[in-house]
Amino acid sequence: MAVPAQHIAPRHIDCPPFMDQRPGTSGLRKKVKRFAEPHYLAMFVQAIFDGAGDLKGGTIALGGDGRYFNREASAIILRMAAAHGIAKIVVGQGGILSTPAVSNLIRARQLKGGIILSASHNPGGPEGDFGIKYNVGNGGPAPESVTEAIFAVSQRLSGYDILPESAGTIDLDRPGTQQLGSLTVEIVDPVADYAALMEKLFDFGRMRPWLKANRILFDAMHAVTGPYATEILVKRLGAPASSVINAVPKLDFGNHHPDPNPAHAEELMARLWAADAPALGAASDGDGDRNMILGPKLAVTPSDSLAVLAANATLIPGYAKGIKGVARSMPTSRAADAVAQALGIESFETPTGWKFFGNLLDADRVTLCGEESYGTGSDHVREKDGLWAVLFWLNLMAATDKNVPQIMEAHWRRFGRHYYSRHDYEALDSAKANDIMNGLRGRLSDLEGRHGIELADDFRYQDPIDNSVSEKQGVRLIFGNGDRLVLRLSGTGTEGATLRLYIERFAPRTADLHLDAQVALAELIGQAEDIIGIKRISGRAQPDVVT
Ligand code: VG1
Ligand code: CO
């Protein structure tokens, strides 16, 4: 006879702290090899449990993007949650939940928070990356005060509490309720609640006939949105099954970067540049919070996408009453600001990372938010949301009967065009990357007034709701003619340092609005090298990724 699970006591495992557990832009990301080292994952989970506020007796959510180590990590977290005295965990079947679905689950069920197992757009597999994010009770990523508290705990931990394996195991594939010691585990359909939310926001009745007459192609990149896209686009909206490609989630994402941009979604790009291109092409990332929007031979920049959604929101049932305001991350182009100004609503500029939008959304100051890194979202959850953005575009096309090029043309003719590009220099030697960044920081006051630069600073953000301050969020060089260069270090990489250079130039509505962005920005890109010298100092001939 097995001993009744309730009577097996937790064990305390002694372990010195790991000193490298500071969460970055979006959770803690490391190589799988690091996360799989004995006690590494468990120690960070203990830091979350101790640092994130009182979770004892409460209910949280747990799910991930299905990447390699997702199941192993889930099993450890469940045994630790039981040991910590958490009352209940709601888990996506198979350990799967997209990031926006976790956000929705936390909000809909008023949970204390949620743990998301994902390194998002980073590659997966045994040689790839793994990550853990913690979301708080509003459904959004933990704010800096919480991630810093978690980090502080991680620095002084002396061990963790866990139920022994003999206490039993949870079958992640079996829907319904199971018990692990005093912990109740509810396994739920990862898609159902999320799909219901989408039906509330968008006009499915209008989108169905449009999808009979027009083709779309959604690339799930072998990541978490496969089952979501199949349920929503194919089953509920009636698109043919061939509308979703790479729909089956894989542990290693088919050995690709699950990063929806023109550089990494090669197959989709080829289909959209072919003669028989579908009307709309789209892709999402590892954990389903990013989106890329394409029309035939046209890639919509994420900054433009945010502006288009803001300008047309009232055509969508969920936003028919109008939007309160718009927020964008600092490096994101100012296209959305132009729309906000025209609509007479507030616009906000926040540091990079979705956690900075939470307070503005909670305070009802903004309805739409976006980042240049293929992230768009609204107050329906507290995360960026990939499929939501695709459905928004679909609904917009069905409502206006305009195609993607026509929508963009009309937008630029009304607001002008913010030519925009991001150049990434990946896996640089950290010392060199810091030299470049600090070298520029040291020259900021010299630069003002030279090269036509009007403002040169290191972005500092004071949250308008709780007044918290975040410093050193990226260097801005703003020119008198409105041009903008931004330089910052990535906070999601796991190898060396990645520098991101963001380049923006505004073309008024009467200018040539159909140039290739790299051509339109060539002069400014040259100036960036003169002033910052990334190539000169790093020895790299060109960026690794241009989007
Ligand atoms: C990147 C993006 C940022 C985004 C973050 C998380 O961060 O630039 O805009 O919020 O990834 O996205 P960084 O620090 O590497 O520039 V996800 O979809 O990877 O969670
Ligand atoms: Co993501």
Side-chain angles (χ1 to χ4, degrees):
M1 266 297 284
V3 184
Q6 288 84 328
H7 301 308
I8 295 183
R11 311 248 157 93
H12 182 79
I13 310 289
D14 290 321
C15 180
F18 293 94
M19 304 318 281
D20 64 342
Q21 297 194 326
R22 174 175 249 138
T25 311
S26 174
L28 182 71
R29 293 186 198 184
K30 300 284 174 197
K31 294 276 174 212
V32 165
K33 292 221 159 81
R34 182 75 172 140
F35 260 113
E37 279 175 33
H39 314 305
Y40 189 86
L41 171 104
M43 289 290 277
F44 187 65
V45 171
Q46 190 66 54
I48 294 176
F49 287 166
D50 292 348
D54 190 19
L55 300 179
K56 290 194 165 94
T59 304
I60 63 170
L62 172 67
D65 64 11
R67 71 177 60 218
Y68 184 84
F69 204 57
N70 194 112
R71 278 184 185 260
E72 293 83 345
S74 303
I76 294 171
I77 293 168
L78 289 172
R79 288 196 285 127
M80 287 184 66
H84 191 67
I86 288 173
K88 183 176 170 182
I89 292 205
V90 184
V91 191
Q93 192 174 4
I96 299 281
L97 278 171
S98 77
T99 288
V102 170
S103 188
N104 180 46
L105 204 56
I106 294 171
R107 295 169 65 74
R109 298 192 178 209
Q110 298 184 319
L111 309 184
K112 288 214 165 193
I115 294 177
I116 303 173
L117 305 175
S118 173
S120 192
H121 63 286
N122 297 23
E127 305 300 320
D129 294 344
F130 190 76
I132 303 192
K133 312 188 263 189
Y134 183 71
N135 281 28
V136 293
N138 75 347
E144 268 192 339
S145 55
V146 176
T147 56
E148 283 302 304
I150 291 170
F151 175 63
V153 172
S154 80
Q155 301 296 285
R156 55 168 196 259
L157 273 183
S158 58
Y160 60 94
D161 298 317
I162 188 163
L163 231 55
E165 280 179 57
S166 56
T169 46
I170 293 293
D171 179 356
L172 288 176
D173 298 306
R174 178 156 57 88
T177 297
Q178 301 169 51
Q179 202 69 27
L180 184 65
S182 58
L183 176 73
T184 302
V185 181
E186 184 185 349
I187 309 284
V188 299
D189 177 342
V191 182
D193 287 13
Y194 177 83
L197 175 63
M198 294 302 116
E199 288 214 44
K200 271 195 232 151
L201 295 172
F202 299 109
D203 191 350
F204 277 40
R206 197 160 190 175
M207 292 148 82
R208 272 186 211 105
W210 187 89
L211 278 164
K212 293 252 176 300
N214 300 277
R215 279 179 306 126
I216 60 162
L217 194 62
F218 178 83
D219 186 353
M221 304 190 94
H222 288 306
V224 80
T225 48
Y228 293 84
T230 303
E231 172 66 27
I232 295 170
L233 298 173
V234 179
K235 292 209 185 118
R236 299 198 187 196
L237 283 167
S242 58
S243 310
V244 184
I245 56 171
N246 301 319
V248 179
K250 290 190 177 168
L251 294 176
D252 65 352
F253 308 117
N255 218 0
H256 286 114
H257 276 250
D259 192 352
N261 64 38
H264 291 304
E266 270 175 61
E267 180 184 356
L268 180 70
M269 292 296 286
R271 296 278 292 271
L272 268 292
W273 261 253
D276 62 340
L280 180 71
S284 189
D285 70 331
D287 60 332
D289 56 359
R290 295 187 178 204
N291 75 91
M292 174 170 67
I293 300 294
L294 305 168
K297 296 198 175 66
L298 191 150
V300 178
T301 68
S303 302
D304 274 350
S305 180
L306 172 65
V308 167
L309 304 190
N312 296 287
T314 51
L315 297 170
I316 310 298
Y319 309 93
K321 291 197 191 106
I323 54 174
K324 305 238 168 60
V326 196
R328 60 164 176 84
S329 67
M330 182 273 282
T332 303
S333 100
R334 297 184 286 195
D337 302 16
V339 174
Q341 207 182 3
L343 296 180
I345 56 174
E346 282 190 294
S347 64
F348 297 87
E349 182 175 51
T350 61
T352 294
W354 212 263
K355 55 178 172 253
F356 294 102
F357 294 134
N359 279 347
L360 293 168
L361 289 163
D362 285 350
D364 253 350
R365 293 281 285 275
V366 300
T367 308
L368 298 179
C369 308
E371 293 192 280
E372 51 65 39
S373 53
Y374 298 85
T376 344
S378 88
D379 59 0
H380 69 291
V381 286
R382 292 294 181 272
E383 285 279 4
K384 53 190 189 266
D385 189 344
L387 259 176
W388 168 89
V390 177
L391 293 169
F392 201 126
W393 271 88
L394 256 179
N395 196 157
L396 188 58
M397 292 170 79
T400 58
D401 218 22
K402 284 198 184 121
N403 61 30
V404 178
Q406 288 166 336
I407 291 173
M408 289 320 303
E409 173 72 22
H411 188 86
W412 293 332
R413 284 285 159 229
R414 184 170 165 205
F415 298 101
R417 176 171 178 186
H418 292 76
Y419 281 107
Y420 187 83
S421 181
R422 183 175 107 182
H423 291 191
D424 293 334
Y425 294 81
E426 296 181 337
L428 292 172
D429 172 61
S430 295
K432 269 195 186 146
N434 283 321
D435 279 354
I436 296 170
M437 208 59 225
N438 293 331
L440 181 62
R441 282 195 176 111
R443 287 184 288 123
L444 291 178
S445 50
D446 286 351
L447 283 170
E448 271 183 2
R450 295 180 56 208
H451 310 280
I453 295 172
E454 227 163 52
L455 176 88
D457 72 353
D458 202 346
F459 185 58
R460 172 187 190 272
Y461 179 67
Q462 179 159 27
D463 186 296
I465 310 300
D466 67 13
N467 292 320
S468 61
V469 171
S470 304
E471 314 253 14
K472 296 178 97 173
Q473 296 296 316
V475 169
R476 305 188 288 184
L477 304 179
I478 303 179
F479 295 73
N481 63 359
D483 289 352
R484 232 170 42 125
L485 292 172
V486 172
L487 185 73
R488 57 179 285 281
L489 279 165
S490 157
T492 58
T494 59
E495 223 179 296
T498 292
L499 269 178
R500 306 200 195 283
L501 173 67
Y502 310 79
I503 310 119
E504 175 184 350
R505 169 166 281 182
F506 177 65
R509 32 203 278 199
T510 48
D512 187 349
L513 301 176
H514 299 98
L515 295 171
D516 176 86
Q518 301 310 314
V519 173
L521 298 169
E523 185 201 348
L524 195 50
I525 292 167
Q527 252 184 306
E529 179 57 25
D530 290 346
I531 299 169
I532 308 169
I534 303 182
K535 292 177 187 157
R536 190 177 67 244
I537 302 169
S538 71
R540 294 277 178 90
Q542 68 241 334
D544 299 272
V545 180
V546 171
T547 51

